[in-house]
Amino acid sequence: MTLEQLRIFVAVAEREHMTRAAEAVNVTQSAASAAIAALEARHGVPLFNRVGRGIELTEAGRMFLDEARAVLGRAAHAELALAEYGGLKRGTLRLVASQTIASYWLPLRLATFHARFPEIAVDLAIDNSEGAAARVRDGAAELGFVEGAVDEPALAQWTVAHDRMLLVGGAPVPHIDDDWLRAAQWIVREHGSGTRSTFEETLRRRGIDPAALGIVMTMPSNEAVRTAVEAGAGVAVLSALVVARAVAAGDLQALPLDLPERPFHALRHKERYRTRAADALTDLIKETGK
């Protein structure tokens, strides 16, 4: 088993398409197919189901994906650690962030980081808050950025920013009370999302059981939730970063519900080697926070 085989396997698993995966890792389709076949033959375990012209992970493949990502992450971490003996001149800094942070808060800071350290490549994965914490814990990413706190003793976490949440809908509402919240049609993110957990905690503080809400749609991304609200399917609580342009354009209405700010937290494993590249990024974030 080689790192190249693992790299190809992860690319195929994430795209569920051999040709697109081969293009992503810059190999031929036949080379990608051969790498997957070699892994399966060596261990006698099918990693993918072939369904018509498509492919999907088997149960063994889903388990192996987490391990493969962790191995690749640790290999990149080791490479970067060695590269740093010559200064911040080369290597890859692997990050993971929740959707809101990855799409709206982090890119400006990564652009500044790239301008300062152009030889350090940045590999950013997107996962919900629970998944991001798991990747940092397992070594697939050196730094993680999530909404709210996570319950993971192996990780150090600290606040890097604060985020304002908004209740949005397609039409104005003059007054909102608990009865209105229970009667509304809600569009929410998936379980494990920091956005959803923050909203549910707000409901509990008001004495409302989140399970009592009329949830009509559960969506896998902020943009899907926002688009459904714009289409009139219901209301949602989202980050102000996500809905600012839609509210300014009149496509969404900010509704009168007092929601607390939530922290953005950085995550790092307490016991793994701290690379200078990761330290440089955290220092930059502190600077921009000022």
Side-chain angles (χ1 to χ4, degrees):
M1 185 185 301
T2 67
L3 290 177
E4 181 68 4
Q5 288 173 336
L6 294 181
R7 189 168 69 97
I8 291 171
F9 166 73
V10 170
V12 175
E14 290 178 341
R15 292 162 181 81
E16 294 189 333
H17 195 282
M18 195 68 69
T19 301
R20 288 197 290 268
E23 292 172 352
V25 296
N26 198 30
V27 300
T28 64
Q29 182 177 343
S30 60
S33 298
I36 299 301
L39 284 173
E40 293 179 324
R42 177 179 177 84
H43 301 283
V45 176
L47 299 173
F48 293 94
N49 290 317
R50 278 70 177 177
V51 183
R53 299 181 65 181
I55 56 175
E56 60 183 23
L57 284 167
T58 62
E59 183 177 351
R62 286 191 292 272
M63 177 279 296
F64 186 57
L65 177 59
D66 291 336
E67 297 298 329
R69 282 171 171 162
V71 170
L72 290 173
R74 287 192 289 271
H77 188 83
E79 181 183 18
L80 183 56
L82 286 175
E84 287 182 342
Y85 279 98
L88 285 174
K89 296 180 179 179
R90 61 191 183 277
T92 300
L93 176 60
R94 292 184 180 271
L95 311 173
V96 62
S98 58
Q99 285 191 18
T100 302
I101 294 174
S103 299
Y104 298 95
W105 181 82
L106 195 54
L108 177 61
R109 289 150 181 86
L110 292 183
T112 304
F113 179 83
H114 175 69
R116 292 188 188 180
F117 309 106
E119 300 304 317
I120 300 294
V122 173
D123 186 343
L124 174 63
I126 298 178
D127 211 326
N128 63 32
S129 294
E130 290 183 0
R135 291 196 189 209
V136 177
R137 181 198 64 215
D138 296 339
E142 182 174 358
L143 290 174
F145 299 92
V146 300
E147 301 124 19
V150 297
D151 183 16
E152 180 49 71
L155 303 183
Q157 51 189 299
W158 64 97
T159 302
V160 292
H162 287 87
D163 181 40
R164 188 166 61 98
M165 305 293 287
L166 290 177
L167 171 62
V168 292
V173 176
H175 174 70
I176 290 177
D177 57 18
D178 291 353
D179 290 338
W180 186 95
L181 293 173
R182 292 187 179 94
Q185 292 189 314
W186 289 95
I187 303 166
V188 299
R189 285 282 307 279
E190 78 285 357
H191 285 291
S193 157
T195 296
R196 179 164 179 166
S197 61
T198 299
F199 174 48
E200 289 182 345
E201 182 58 31
T202 300
L203 291 173
R204 292 187 186 99
R205 286 199 294 267
R206 295 178 68 112
I208 299 175
D209 181 359
L213 294 188
I215 297 175
V216 296
M217 294 185 189
T218 300
M219 298 290 201
S221 72
N222 294 316
E223 290 70 27
V225 173
R226 185 185 64 207
T227 301
V229 176
E230 290 174 351
V235 298
V237 168
L238 289 168
S239 165
L241 295 171
V242 175
V243 299
R245 290 185 179 180
V247 170
D251 297 327
L252 289 176
Q253 300 293 319
L255 306 182
L257 179 66
D258 185 25
L259 292 165
E261 284 191 337
R262 62 176 177 175
F264 286 168
H265 281 146
L267 307 176
R268 188 177 214 160
H269 201 285
K270 292 178 180 178
E271 298 180 356
R272 289 200 174 93
Y273 173 78
R274 292 174 53 168
T275 65
R276 291 169 60 191
D279 283 343
L281 178 59
T282 56
D283 289 344
L284 183 152
I285 289 171
K286 291 177 184 176
E287 291 175 22
T288 58
K290 296 177 182 177

